[in-house]
Amino acid sequence: MSTDLGSKQNLIDEMLEVYPDKARKDRSKHYEINDENLINCGKCSIKSNMKSRPGVMTVRGCAYAGSKGVVWGPIKDMVHISHGPVGCGQYSWGTRRNYATGTLGVDNFTAMQITSDFQEKDIVFGGDKKLEEICREIKEMFPLAKGISIQSECPVGLIGDDIEAVAKKMTAEIGIPIIPVRCEGFRGVSQSLGHHIANDAIRDFLMGRRELEECGPYDVSIIGDYNIGGDAWASRILLEEMGLRVIAQWSGDGSINELAIAHKSKLNLIHCFRSMNYMCTTMEREYGVPWMEYNFFGPTKTIESLRAIADRFDDHIRDNCEKMIEKYRIQMDAIIGKYRPRLEGKKVMLLIGGLRPRHTIGAYEDLGMEIVAAGYEFGHKDDYTRTFPDLKEGTIIYDDPSAYELEELAQKLDIDLMGAGVKEKYVYHKMGIPFRQMHSWDYSGPYHGFDGFKVFARDMDMTVNSPVWDLLKDPQRKAVSV
Ligand code: CFN
């Protein structure tokens, strides 16, 4: 082990020393330092997708978050019922910033919080009757809603309500698909199982159920882009400029029809592998639709991905692709020319869900920034094996780190920027560390595609180089008094 790797290991060991023996042993398995051997063989032994340690504060979400918040919530022409007590839907309301076109309350329901608002009597006597009533009310209030999903919260599973029976009965009665999703928060170890459960419900109730009137040779679907701050729009225009036809967006700004016709694609393009790989493998197995991963963060990765996508088609698409790369490269070079000198060498740490810690590496590197530590809230082994080769030797990689671990590392590594979520944000501000919300893009976005990179570069500069940090006397050491 080189001295650099050795000193990084000491840093991790020291940080974990505060834990009791068992916790220390357990948490140490969720750390790894990137070294050449790992990069070359693409293997890593980091433990992931395991239960968070009780008593150690995790930043993970739950299965309901993974299904309602992530996969189903963005389907705009369906009403999604947060079935159970009011809090799950209320406190997550609008926070993910998945944009959609349409008229709110008429043919777009994404920004609404619809809940069955469980009370004590519903827990004691069951909530099935109430659920039936809500379905009827939805049909009456929102006659243009194309479907309803029932997103179970914890108590629904605990008391054993039969939401499947209600869904079946009400589908027949009101004549639109009503889909029960068993995504009670207690299932699994993070939101990741919620993605899987949500994918299974799409498979069982909608996938392959409708036909596409006219199919074309360039039909593709965007899988796993949730249109955060307009990401899917910034991606779609590039695919269209290349000459492809996007027939479905799963699920950002998507519709129930798009879920039902995507199996007609010639190629499925998956951005978020973690949350929707199950759908790609299912469509491949059942309908023979090939799929490929792509990455639209930062010009280097976007160009690489565009070429790889074009290569799956013909010369016509390949020519279009090269023309557009030429056009956008001028714009991108100008952006890099403007911001790179202001960001060169800045050290970044990341903790995000299951995709972005690896997908955004290239975008930071395009700006000359260096990822010194990165990790996932709920990544699986297949995410980590994809991540190691993209990071530099000596990068610390962590899985499901606690708030304490992350704060310690941020100080010890003397970073210039932290990218994580809103729960973390204000702690870092108080520590004097510039911070970006890498889930919601901090009320900004899009960050995907060439349009997105312009916003990304501006936002990183605005944050890292804000004069506000100079007003703190001793940033990163003395917290501002609270
Ligand atoms: S938009 Fe996605 S890109 S879907 Fe997933 S794994 Fe979450 S909500 Mo937060 S930002 Fe994050 Fe990914 Fe895929 Fe978002 S990294 S944690 S569940 N995620």
Side-chain angles (χ1 to χ4, degrees):
M1 196 183 269
S2 74
T3 38
D4 182 45
L5 299 190
S7 69
K8 293 271 170 62
Q9 190 57 53
N10 290 343
L11 200 148
I12 295 168
D13 294 344
E14 267 170 38
M15 174 187 71
L16 296 176
E17 236 161 52
V18 297
Y19 289 142
D21 278 357
K22 243 174 121 182
R24 182 170 60 236
K25 232 170 134 186
D26 173 54
R27 284 300 309 149
S28 66
K29 294 179 192 150
H30 297 264
Y31 276 86
E32 211 156 315
I33 302 164
N34 207 19
D35 78 25
E36 230 173 74
N37 296 330
L38 292 167
I39 297 172
N40 289 340
C41 70
K43 285 204 185 98
C44 54
S45 62
I46 193 165
K47 289 272 176 266
S48 62
N49 195 28
M50 292 166 78
K51 197 171 175 293
S52 300
R53 206 169 168 80
V56 174
M57 186 81 106
T58 173
V59 304
R60 282 172 164 174
C62 66
Y64 161 86
S67 176
K68 196 269 173 182
V70 173
V71 174
W72 280 98
I75 299 295
K76 63 182 172 184
D77 56 357
M78 293 178 76
V79 172
H80 307 286
I81 305 171
S82 289
H83 188 40
V86 67
C88 306
Q90 189 70 9
Y91 293 117
S92 57
W93 186 13
T95 52
R96 192 158 170 259
R97 303 185 65 249
N98 44 279
Y99 288 177
T101 56
T103 307
L104 188 65
V106 178
D107 57 0
N108 173 5
F109 308 96
T110 49
M112 295 182 125
Q113 178 347 42
I114 311 267
T115 174
S116 48
D117 186 22
F118 260 39
Q119 304 295 311
E120 209 171 323
K121 72 173 184 343
D122 301 314
I123 303 285
V124 175
F125 298 108
D128 288 348
K129 284 277 162 298
K130 193 176 194 179
L131 186 58
E132 286 184 12
E133 240 355 85
I134 291 169
C135 292
R136 288 187 194 103
E137 272 178 29
I138 288 171
K139 181 67 187 164
E140 204 180 312
M141 288 173 73
F142 307 120
L144 296 184
K146 298 274 174 51
I148 296 172
S149 82
I150 303 163
Q151 306 285 329
S152 303
E153 297 169 9
C154 292
V156 173
L158 293 170
I159 63 177
D161 271 9
D162 191 354
I163 60 165
E164 288 80 5
V166 175
K168 205 167 170 192
K169 178 178 168 194
M170 297 314 293
T171 299
E173 187 182 316
I174 67 177
I176 54 174
I178 300 182
I179 294 150
V181 190
R182 281 282 175 195
C183 57
E184 287 88 351
F186 56 74
R187 294 186 195 275
V189 300
S190 68
Q191 51 270 64
S192 186
L193 188 64
H195 302 145
H196 203 156
I197 292 168
N199 282 202
D200 286 352
I202 294 175
R203 177 197 65 199
D204 295 344
F205 290 90
L206 293 172
M207 186 190 80
R209 298 300 198 278
R210 293 186 193 164
E211 289 305 315
L212 188 60
E213 272 175 25
E214 273 176 48
C215 296
Y218 303 127
D219 291 352
V220 296
S221 293
I222 294 178
I223 307 289
D225 187 329
Y226 302 95
N227 206 28
I228 311 302
D231 281 342
W233 295 330
S235 304
R236 182 183 181 126
I237 55 166
L238 297 181
L239 300 173
E240 288 178 344
E241 194 172 337
M242 204 153 84
L244 303 176
R245 184 173 77 145
V246 178
I247 62 164
Q249 284 178 210
W250 285 29
S251 57
D253 193 28
S255 61
I256 192 168
N257 195 51
E258 289 166 62
L259 292 179
I261 59 164
H263 65 294
K264 288 292 180 187
S265 307
K266 295 291 178 300
L267 179 66
N268 277 333
L269 301 170
I270 182 162
H271 205 252
C272 178
F273 176 83
R274 181 66 275 133
S275 62
M276 278 209 184
N277 69 82
Y278 322 99
M279 294 311 315
C280 288
T281 47
T282 305
M283 277 190 268
E284 183 176 45
R285 193 173 56 243
E286 307 216 346
Y287 301 97
V289 186
W291 58 278
M292 64 176 281
E293 292 177 63
Y294 70 106
N295 178 355
F296 272 4
F297 284 107
T300 303
K301 289 289 175 189
T302 305
I303 289 171
E304 217 177 278
S305 295
L306 285 169
R307 285 201 171 119
I309 294 168
D311 261 345
R312 305 290 285 255
F313 293 90
D314 53 22
D315 283 346
H316 164 64
I317 299 290
R318 270 191 290 269
D319 289 349
N320 285 350
C321 177
E322 286 310 318
K323 272 186 214 136
M324 73 189 260
I325 289 173
E326 221 171 283
K327 177 178 110 188
Y328 286 109
R329 204 194 283 279
I330 300 166
Q331 292 180 18
M332 293 300 105
D333 285 349
I335 295 290
I336 290 170
K338 179 173 174 188
Y339 292 107
R340 190 166 174 137
R342 299 169 60 80
L343 293 167
E344 189 84 55
K346 299 288 184 195
K347 290 189 275 181
V348 184
M349 245 175 95
L350 296 171
L351 170 63
I352 332 166
L355 172 87
R356 294 175 177 176
R358 91 165 163 280
H359 258 34
T360 57
I361 298 167
Y364 283 109
E365 288 180 350
D366 283 336
L367 294 170
M369 302 170 87
E370 188 198 345
I371 310 289
V372 291
Y376 296 107
E377 290 175 24
F378 53 79
H380 296 207
K381 196 172 178 69
D382 49 9
D383 302 304
Y384 285 99
T385 48
R386 284 167 165 77
T387 309
F388 278 72
D390 281 356
L391 288 167
K392 292 221 167 69
E393 170 146 318
T395 311
I396 295 178
I397 295 154
Y398 36 70
D399 172 72
D400 185 26
S402 69
Y404 155 75
E405 292 165 28
L406 209 63
E407 287 158 30
E408 277 290 298
L409 276 179
Q411 292 193 319
K412 297 224 161 95
L413 293 170
D414 196 19
I415 58 168
D416 301 295
L417 178 68
M418 170 64 90
V422 69
K423 299 190 291 302
E424 293 76 67
K425 175 165 179 160
Y426 298 99
V427 174
Y428 289 85
H429 277 186
K430 287 171 186 169
M431 287 157 70
I433 299 177
F435 186 100
R436 288 300 304 182
Q437 286 191 64
M438 292 300 285
H439 299 256
S440 67
W441 305 148
D442 258 320
Y443 330 105
S444 184
Y447 281 178
H448 287 182
F450 297 123
D451 285 341
F453 184 67
K454 296 176 196 166
V455 183
F456 175 82
R458 181 205 63 191
D459 286 358
M460 296 310 137
D461 173 44
M462 175 169 89
T463 303
V464 171
N465 294 312
S466 166
V468 77
W469 308 116
D470 295 335
L471 301 176
L472 297 175
K473 292 264 161 4
D474 187 4
Q476 304 194 20
R477 295 291 171 270
K478 249 188 258 161
V480 185
S481 55
V482 282

